[in-house]
Amino acid sequence: MKTRQLTELAQQLRVDSVRAADAAGSGHPTSSMSAADLMAVLLAHHLRYDFERPAHPANDRFILSKGHASPLLYAAYKAAGAINETELLTYRKLGSRLEGHPTPRRLPWVETATGSLGQGLPVGVGVALAGQRLDRTGYRVWVLCGDSELAEGSVWEAAEHAGYEHLDNLIAIVDVNRLGQRGPTRHGHDLDAYARRFRAFDWHTVEVDGHDVEAVDRACAEAESTTGAPTVILARTLKGKGVRAVQDHEGLHGKPLPDPAEAIAELGGVRDLRVEVQPPPAARTLHPVHSGHLELPRYEVGDEVPTRDAYGQALAALGSARGDIVALDGEVGDSTRAEYFGKEHPDRYFQCYIAEQLMVAAAVGMATRGWVPYASTFAAFLTRAHDFVRMASISGSGINLVGSHAGCAIGQDGPSQMGLEDLAMLRAVHGSTVLYPCDANQTAKLVAAMADQDGIRYLRTTRGKTPVVYGPTEEFPVGGSKVLRASFEDRLTIVAAGVTVHEALAAADALAEEGLRVRVIDLYSVKPVDRATLREAAARTGALLTVEDHHEEGGLGDAVLDAFLDGRPVPRLARLAVRTMPGSATPAEQLHAAGIDAGSVMAAARLLVEHAVLV
Amino acid sequence: MKTRQLTELAQQLRVDSVRAADAAGSGHPTSSMSAADLMAVLLAHHLRYDFERPAHPANDRFILSKGHASPLLYAAYKAAGAINETELLTYRKLGSRLEGHPTPRRLPWVETATGSLGQGLPVGVGVALAGQRLDRTGYRVWVLCGDSELAEGSVWEAAEHAGYEHLDNLIAIVDVNRLGQRGPTRHGHDLDAYARRFRAFDWHTVEVDGHDVEAVDRACAEAESTTGAPTVILARTLKGKGVRAVQDHEGLHGKPLPDPAEAIAELGGVRDLRVEVQPPPAARTLHPVHSGHLELPRYEVGDEVPTRDAYGQALAALGSARGDIVALDGEVGDSTRAEYFGKEHPDRYFQCYIAEQLMVAAAVGMATRGWVPYASTFAAFLTRAHDFVRMASISGSGINLVGSHAGCAIGQDGPSQMGLEDLAMLRAVHGSTVLYPCDANQTAKLVAAMADQDGIRYLRTTRGKTPVVYGPTEEFPVGGSKVLRASFEDRLTIVAAGVTVHEALAAADALAEEGLRVRVIDLYSVKPVDRATLREAAARTGALLTVEDHHEEGGLGDAVLDAFLDGRPVPRLARLAVRTMPGSATPAEQLHAAGIDAGSVMAAARLLVEHAVLV
């Protein structure tokens, strides 16, 4: 396109952004207008993309990190012929694919859900890593960022990693319109402030007038020809560019234009230009995934094995059987045992250092390209990436998260290292699967099973050794449970998972010696829960006692409730959980102090059964 | 101290670190040994601190961001005479104050709990901001960081803010020992890589041999005399310094030394040097807190007011009554209405830009100096700071968090902006208080009440208008609830909070017209819950139906369970919550689609009552 045409295209994108927001009665047209020239140049001259084949292995990827500028994205889709005028004007309406912030659940051309700022670049790093080390079809990853979001630390985790990994297939374009939501950004139009920061993280930088389409075009070309480093194009722009009533004005973030008709006239009226987006080069299919026989590790019943060891060994085995498995580490692979995978499959092992947000975002990015990522760190430190997990669920992303060092059972290291909130966090994620195995064979089976679940899957592992209670041929369906002790005389059911299964078993056996028979359920699938088994146990035994190495809110005890929400009578319930703030102590002392060891289970069981009331 | 004495002191710190870890059988002596010279110089020559008066208003503050190097900290306490030899050797044992990672709950000299990396510097920024803008007693904030943790984005959020705010009272010392947990860091001993990054964020940088006590001494002096910018001292060190068997070796992170006796001999044996730490200058008491009459905003019953507006107005009023109230914004103060406070109290309003981790960490830092912070952003974006909230609870920090734009009721913006996991996240935090008001007067009262609670307090506000249902004189004790509809004929209790209270009321009134009387409880205190009222309602009406604008796990429905865990019979229960992934739609359409509007409540109520079984 000639300069004049590019400018016209940009004006069309502005006009269509104004129209979409006007039709919706909400949205962010001014944030779209600042980036319209950037988008026009990218779409017309640089992006290589087949809108009819969004999964094309050589398609460039485009991520709108400033997701609130969705009118601009949808206007671009219209210009590219992917959506029509009628659909554009459904923006933000019930049932429309064109949500307030773009999501891949609805639109096939969206790589990842955005709208929580500072996530597009880290996810882009994941896609670019996949491009550089796995797919190798030559695609580029373009990420359009806002300037406000550069305040997010996750952006600098991403910048650090992209520079370190020499991701020259990654190009960030920053729409420096100097205005955030409530006022000016820290650095306003000081492009050099941003350039110094990116350069310090080993990026190539280009500063440009973001409304000069020729200059933007040259900047994109320079980025494309830069090797050995990612490029950031810092574009000086004006929010609301092109309409005097709003241009560069504060206080107009996230508002439709006051007089859309006048604005459209000022922008030169409605156009219907169509862009022929450059197609990607021919390329082989997504990636060759070899598939072989899965030979999971097998453990002897009675042996003592940490479930984290089983995770590492099973993941390594899964990686041998399936070529689409990748693993990401947050610089604790020796603790989580992810390094077992790294040693066997170094080409599919990604060291993310101590940057949990980047680690999860990179997993999301790799999943967009069809890879099946396992990202692991201490369960406690997954809280660092909570917002990324939340957004991944909005994307419908299929990622596996594994948190080690669950609960107070870790012992001496103290509360900062204990995962005591992770079950609550992961259960509350829409569509998640939450698994918590108690022994090594169960862990191995669940590591393999989780790969094929939908949505976010979480596995919680234990630091210390636990006895192997299941044989290597036992199966553990997601959504199931195991009844480990049962008799016709059971007067109570103890529901446990992970480390507390062993406490519950010890308690049940000791109580049996006393003449009190109790049922024990291993609820390894915390979400979804095995409603039928819980219901039946409750009906037969009259009461349930849950015991968990987690804070009392949102964990196993709350999960059990899910089986009793159908309006039918509920059994008597009691819960043992970590109610105090632990300090340092041995694992056994911790379980005792928290009141979740076998002795505490026995005491609670006796009260529940013998007095029928706990307090 | 002379050079020789400083070196001796450093060797003592090493020896005591080795001894403490040996006595514990665990811990991180090699990570302590690398920083021993840094700590010796700081303690002997630069820190101004009265160990007998840890709350002294002019005390410098010291934060061990690399909290796993706790043996070094405790060895320093011993050298300063704050603890004795016997206590040192209780390290990591049950009941000891000397936990695996330091916590202020146990030790009066610890500012903030560390152990989750990348948190010390952001918290230090909060303390330094308090020092610069609030306390003004001239204290410095020293933060000892590891090099691995510089991979955390939160460090760069802090670096950006400290540079921007010219925090020359903040000094970071980075122990660049080149080895992380599982192997080398990204940049190894390349001090300049770190210096370039910090300089780009407008810090003064000093590079130094971290084992040359004279050079470290000069670097600290240079930092102290630097004005207008924070300083980072980048110290090249060796992990395990001083003991050939471990020095600069990989694979020895977090392990006691293999031969402690030999190591102690190699380090010159046990010493008992005592440091006279320089006292702080005389200073006025912590900060002058004026206290006046609290004149909360008052709203007319029947008016329609967003609870977020009431939050902003009440906070501004609280700020007028109490001089210790401060507010922090994540660049959305126009949305959360925190800006109302900012306009009235600009000296106590802190703009943190879009950096939620920094915002929460800064609140924690300010709370250490006696300030009462309110930090607010969208409820959804508080997930970004989850790990900081978790660590704040370990600190026993008293901070107020306010999340706006709760639930699908926000409407068109879509799921990325909806707080649908926040109740689960905040309930699972140890010792937290979780409040969710439904109207403006209730909000105002709770905003004031939360200031005086212990631990983490969370208030959830709604974007749209809700009718005022309570008069301005009504009281809302934390842990209470309000029964809004009740009769002797009630056959069901609907438990709601926030926006669903109004749906529940509409449903109850419409059902009453049909001849079906139901009770309505406004459970504004989600944690702690009002067990007595829930119990009584259950006993009288036979069944509970919870309805909440939150995902089904970990929210209101689970909270209600807390009233029924005493082993006594539980009523019939059913739950309405957001079970699907919302898109864009109007608020009313969202509530309907999620099945939490009045019509859905009515349908569920009829089923529960008339069929006595929901499914």
Side-chain angles (χ1 to χ4, degrees):
Chain A
M1 279 193 178
K2 300 249 171 72
T3 301
R4 170 76 193 148
Q5 289 171 297
L6 285 171
T7 304
E8 278 295 297
L9 175 61
Q11 291 295 80
Q12 171 173 316
L13 298 178
R14 287 188 176 94
V15 167
D16 284 349
S17 297
V18 170
R19 294 168 70 210
D22 181 50
S26 68
H28 299 74
T30 58
S31 303
S32 300
M33 292 157 80
S34 57
D37 300 296
L38 303 170
M39 183 66 100
V41 172
L42 183 62
L43 197 67
H45 285 186
H46 297 279
L47 194 73
R48 297 168 302 185
Y49 196 86
D50 185 343
F51 277 87
E52 293 186 357
R53 295 177 62 199
H56 191 292
N59 269 348
D60 281 353
R61 321 312 298 185
F62 175 75
I63 296 173
L64 182 71
S65 188
K66 49 177 290 183
H68 54 285
S70 54
L72 177 65
L73 184 70
Y74 304 147
Y77 289 166
K78 173 175 162 281
I83 66 169
N84 63 24
E85 168 101 5
T86 311
E87 185 166 11
L88 179 70
L89 299 177
T90 66
Y91 179 51
R92 284 175 166 250
K93 294 200 174 74
L94 180 68
S96 170
R97 296 193 296 177
L98 310 186
E99 292 192 35
H101 297 76
T103 73
R105 291 169 87 100
R106 305 265 176 153
L107 285 169
W109 318 291
V110 175
E111 301 297 320
T112 188
T114 51
S116 180
L117 292 170
Q119 300 212 6
L121 196 62
V123 172
V125 166
V127 184
L129 280 168
Q132 182 197 58
R133 283 178 51 185
L134 301 169
D135 295 323
R136 298 205 188 99
T137 52
Y139 58 79
R140 292 195 184 92
V141 184
W142 301 85
V143 183
L144 180 58
C145 300
D147 49 351
S148 282
E149 66 175 319
L150 301 187
E152 287 284 12
S154 56
V155 169
W156 301 102
E157 289 184 11
E160 173 72 283
H161 204 63
Y164 179 73
E165 297 282 359
H166 308 288
L167 295 179
D168 51 19
N169 57 345
L170 178 67
I171 301 168
I173 305 176
V174 186
D175 176 25
V176 185
N177 65 22
R178 93 167 181 88
L179 290 173
Q181 173 176 320
R182 48 125 285 293
T185 59
R186 275 201 191 94
H187 301 296
H189 268 141
D190 182 2
L191 297 189
D192 190 51
Y194 298 115
R196 277 187 287 128
R197 286 158 174 74
F198 276 101
R199 273 199 301 272
F201 285 96
D202 301 318
W203 283 55
H204 179 64
T205 67
V206 189
E207 299 175 40
V208 70
D209 173 352
H211 300 310
D212 176 343
V213 291
E214 289 183 12
V216 173
D217 201 21
R218 285 192 302 271
C220 289
E222 181 175 330
E224 289 168 337
S225 66
T226 298
T227 55
T231 295
V232 59
I233 298 170
L234 295 157
R236 186 186 190 282
T237 64
L238 298 176
K239 202 159 175 171
K241 166 74 178 176
V243 175
R244 276 183 302 274
V246 299
Q247 181 174 302
D248 203 31
H249 282 213
E250 286 188 40
L252 297 172
H253 182 92
K255 292 175 184 161
L257 264 56
D259 188 338
E262 191 179 286
I264 291 166
E266 191 176 341
L267 292 165
V270 174
R271 297 161 180 81
D272 194 19
L273 299 174
R274 174 70 192 276
V275 186
E276 288 302 325
V277 177
Q278 202 180 331
R284 58 181 167 79
T285 51
L286 192 56
H287 42 80
V289 174
H290 67 269
S291 170
H293 177 66
L294 174 58
E295 192 85 53
L296 285 175
R298 299 163 71 91
Y299 306 92
E300 289 292 314
V301 171
D303 280 2
E304 300 254 333
V305 184
T307 57
R308 60 175 169 151
D309 288 15
Y311 161 60
Q313 289 156 357
L315 188 62
L318 189 65
S320 297
R322 290 179 54 162
D324 57 353
I325 303 289
V326 299
L328 300 96
D329 176 28
E331 223 277 286
V332 287
D334 54 333
S335 284
T336 62
R337 309 305 197 213
E339 70 175 16
Y340 297 168
F341 181 97
K343 279 171 187 159
E344 290 194 30
H345 313 289
D347 50 324
R348 285 181 275 140
Y349 189 64
F350 294 85
Q351 182 53 257
C352 299
Y353 298 92
I354 308 180
E356 295 82 4
Q357 298 183 102
L358 172 76
M359 179 181 72
V360 171
V364 170
M366 290 176 188
T368 68
R369 311 299 301 128
W371 301 94
V372 180
Y374 283 72
S376 36
T377 182
F378 284 29
F381 304 144
L382 282 173
T383 58
R384 202 64 159 256
H386 189 167
D387 196 29
F388 287 78
V389 177
R390 184 181 75 84
M391 291 299 297
S393 84
I394 295 174
S395 287
S397 180
I399 58 171
N400 303 284
L401 301 173
V402 180
S404 68
H405 293 63
C408 69
I410 65 164
Q412 289 86 350
D413 272 337
S416 66
Q417 317 294 300
M418 295 172 179
L420 287 167
E421 303 85 356
D422 55 317
L423 294 178
M425 174 175 95
L426 273 305
R427 279 183 66 241
V429 171
H430 177 70
S432 62
T433 299
V434 178
L435 306 169
Y436 183 17
C438 72
D439 92 345
N441 283 320
Q442 192 181 45
T443 303
K445 288 288 172 71
L446 292 175
V447 167
M450 67 195 292
D452 299 315
Q453 298 297 308
D454 287 329
I456 312 292
R457 314 119 197 191
Y458 176 56
L459 181 89
R460 186 183 212 222
T461 67
T462 298
R463 177 177 188 270
K465 292 176 180 175
T466 49
V468 177
V469 294
Y470 298 109
T473 59
E474 194 109 19
E475 294 301 325
F476 303 94
V478 170
S481 67
K482 290 286 172 184
V483 179
L484 285 169
R485 295 285 185 279
S487 78
F488 289 112
E489 291 83 42
D490 292 342
R491 298 176 62 195
L492 171 74
T493 300
I494 303 171
V495 183
V499 70
T500 60
V501 167
H502 307 285
E503 302 299 319
L505 290 174
D509 293 345
L511 289 167
E513 302 259 318
E514 294 178 8
L516 174 58
R517 303 298 291 260
V518 301
R519 190 163 295 194
V520 176
I521 294 179
D522 168 11
L523 200 72
Y524 63 84
S525 180
V526 178
K527 180 182 173 187
V529 290
D530 183 351
R531 291 179 183 169
T533 300
L534 289 170
R535 270 262 165 225
E536 195 206 332
R540 303 236 178 218
T541 71
L544 294 189
L545 173 64
T546 61
V547 52
E548 61 189 303
D549 194 356
H550 184 275
H551 283 160
E552 53 187 321
E553 301 88 359
L556 191 72
D558 282 358
V560 163
L561 179 61
D562 199 50
F564 301 99
L565 289 173
D566 55 7
R568 286 185 288 170
V570 178
R572 293 184 297 119
L573 297 171
R575 176 163 66 197
L576 300 179
V578 181
R579 291 195 167 84
T580 54
M581 180 59 72
S584 284
T586 66
E589 288 167 343
Q590 297 279 16
L591 295 182
H592 180 69
I596 56 170
D597 63 339
S600 304
V601 172
M602 290 173 69
R606 286 189 206 105
L607 268 174
L608 263 172
V609 171
E610 290 165 26
H611 301 286
V613 172
L614 192 60
V615 292
Chain B
M1 278 192 175
K2 301 250 173 71
T3 300
R4 170 76 193 145
Q5 288 170 299
L6 285 172
T7 303
E8 277 294 296
L9 175 59
Q11 291 293 79
Q12 172 174 316
L13 297 179
R14 288 191 176 93
V15 167
D16 284 348
S17 297
V18 170
R19 292 167 70 210
D22 182 50
S26 67
H28 300 75
T30 58
S31 302
S32 301
M33 293 158 80
S34 58
D37 299 295
L38 304 170
M39 182 65 101
V41 171
L42 182 62
L43 197 68
H45 285 186
H46 298 277
L47 193 74
R48 297 168 304 184
Y49 196 86
D50 183 344
F51 277 88
E52 292 185 356
R53 296 178 59 203
H56 190 292
N59 269 348
D60 281 353
R61 322 312 299 184
F62 175 75
I63 296 173
L64 183 71
S65 188
K66 49 177 288 184
H68 54 285
S70 55
L72 177 65
L73 184 70
Y74 304 147
Y77 289 165
K78 173 173 162 281
I83 66 168
N84 63 25
E85 167 101 5
T86 310
E87 186 167 10
L88 178 71
L89 299 178
T90 66
Y91 179 51
R92 285 174 166 249
K93 293 200 173 75
L94 180 67
S96 172
R97 297 193 295 176
L98 310 185
E99 291 191 34
H101 297 76
T103 74
R105 291 169 88 100
R106 305 267 177 149
L107 285 169
W109 317 291
V110 175
E111 302 297 320
T112 189
T114 51
S116 179
L117 292 170
Q119 301 213 6
L121 198 62
V123 172
V125 166
V127 184
L129 281 168
Q132 182 198 56
R133 285 180 50 186
L134 302 169
D135 297 325
R136 298 207 187 97
T137 51
Y139 57 77
R140 292 196 185 91
V141 183
W142 301 86
V143 183
L144 181 58
C145 299
D147 48 353
S148 283
E149 65 175 320
L150 302 187
E152 287 283 10
S154 56
V155 168
W156 301 103
E157 289 185 13
E160 174 70 284
H161 204 63
Y164 179 73
E165 297 282 359
H166 308 289
L167 296 178
D168 52 18
N169 57 346
L170 177 67
I171 302 167
I173 305 175
V174 186
D175 176 25
V176 186
N177 66 24
R178 95 166 179 89
L179 290 174
Q181 172 175 320
R182 50 126 281 295
T185 60
R186 276 199 190 94
H187 301 296
H189 269 141
D190 182 1
L191 297 189
D192 191 52
Y194 298 115
R196 277 188 287 128
R197 287 159 174 75
F198 276 101
R199 274 198 302 271
F201 285 94
D202 301 318
W203 284 55
H204 179 65
T205 65
V206 189
E207 298 176 39
V208 70
D209 173 351
H211 300 309
D212 177 343
V213 291
E214 289 181 15
V216 172
D217 201 21
R218 285 192 301 272
C220 290
E222 181 176 330
E224 287 168 337
S225 64
T226 298
T227 57
T231 296
V232 59
I233 298 169
L234 295 157
R236 184 187 191 282
T237 63
L238 297 175
K239 202 160 177 171
K241 166 74 179 179
V243 174
R244 276 183 304 273
V246 299
Q247 181 174 302
D248 203 31
H249 282 213
E250 285 188 43
L252 297 172
H253 182 92
K255 292 176 183 160
L257 264 56
D259 188 337
E262 190 179 287
I264 291 166
E266 190 176 342
L267 291 165
V270 174
R271 297 161 182 81
D272 194 17
L273 298 176
R274 174 69 192 277
V275 186
E276 287 304 323
V277 177
Q278 202 180 332
R284 58 181 167 80
T285 51
L286 190 56
H287 43 79
V289 174
H290 67 267
S291 167
H293 177 66
L294 175 58
E295 193 84 53
L296 284 175
R298 298 162 72 92
Y299 306 92
E300 290 290 315
V301 172
D303 279 2
E304 300 254 332
V305 184
T307 57
R308 58 174 171 153
D309 289 16
Y311 161 61
Q313 289 156 356
L315 187 62
L318 190 65
S320 299
R322 291 178 54 162
D324 57 353
I325 303 289
V326 299
L328 300 97
D329 177 26
E331 224 277 287
V332 288
D334 54 335
S335 285
T336 62
R337 309 306 198 212
E339 70 175 14
Y340 298 168
F341 180 97
K343 278 169 188 160
E344 292 195 29
H345 313 288
D347 50 323
R348 286 181 274 140
Y349 189 62
F350 294 84
Q351 182 52 258
C352 298
Y353 298 90
I354 309 181
E356 295 81 6
Q357 297 183 101
L358 172 75
M359 180 181 71
V360 172
V364 170
M366 290 176 187
T368 68
R369 312 297 302 127
W371 300 95
V372 180
Y374 283 72
S376 35
T377 182
F378 286 27
F381 305 143
L382 281 173
T383 57
R384 202 65 160 255
H386 189 166
D387 196 29
F388 287 78
V389 177
R390 183 180 75 85
M391 291 300 296
S393 83
I394 294 175
S395 287
S397 180
I399 59 170
N400 302 283
L401 301 173
V402 179
S404 68
H405 293 64
C408 69
I410 66 164
Q412 288 85 349
D413 272 337
S416 66
Q417 318 294 299
M418 296 173 178
L420 287 167
E421 303 85 357
D422 54 318
L423 294 178
M425 175 175 93
L426 272 304
R427 279 183 65 242
V429 170
H430 177 71
S432 63
T433 299
V434 178
L435 306 169
Y436 182 20
C438 72
D439 91 347
N441 283 319
Q442 192 180 47
T443 304
K445 289 288 174 68
L446 293 174
V447 167
M450 68 195 290
D452 299 315
Q453 298 297 309
D454 288 329
I456 311 294
R457 312 118 196 193
Y458 176 57
L459 182 89
R460 186 182 212 224
T461 68
T462 298
R463 177 176 187 272
K465 292 175 179 176
T466 49
V468 177
V469 294
Y470 299 108
T473 60
E474 195 108 22
E475 294 299 327
F476 303 95
V478 171
S481 66
K482 290 285 173 187
V483 179
L484 285 170
R485 295 288 183 278
S487 77
F488 289 112
E489 292 81 43
D490 292 343
R491 298 175 64 195
L492 172 73
T493 300
I494 303 171
V495 183
V499 72
T500 59
V501 167
H502 307 285
E503 302 300 320
L505 290 174
D509 294 345
L511 288 168
E513 302 259 318
E514 293 179 9
L516 175 57
R517 304 299 291 260
V518 302
R519 189 162 295 195
V520 176
I521 294 178
D522 169 11
L523 200 71
Y524 63 84
S525 180
V526 178
K527 180 183 173 187
V529 290
D530 184 351
R531 292 179 184 170
T533 301
L534 289 169
R535 270 260 165 226
E536 194 205 333
R540 302 236 178 219
T541 71
L544 294 189
L545 172 64
T546 62
V547 51
E548 62 189 303
D549 194 357
H550 184 275
H551 283 159
E552 55 188 321
E553 300 87 0
L556 192 72
D558 281 359
V560 164
L561 179 61
D562 199 48
F564 301 100
L565 288 173
D566 55 6
R568 286 186 289 171
V570 179
R572 292 185 295 119
L573 296 171
R575 176 164 67 195
L576 301 179
V578 182
R579 292 197 165 85
T580 53
M581 179 59 69
S584 285
T586 67
E589 289 168 343
Q590 297 279 14
L591 296 181
H592 180 70
I596 57 171
D597 63 339
S600 303
V601 172
M602 291 172 69
R606 288 188 207 104
L607 269 175
L608 263 172
V609 171
E610 289 164 28
H611 301 285
V613 171
L614 192 61
V615 292

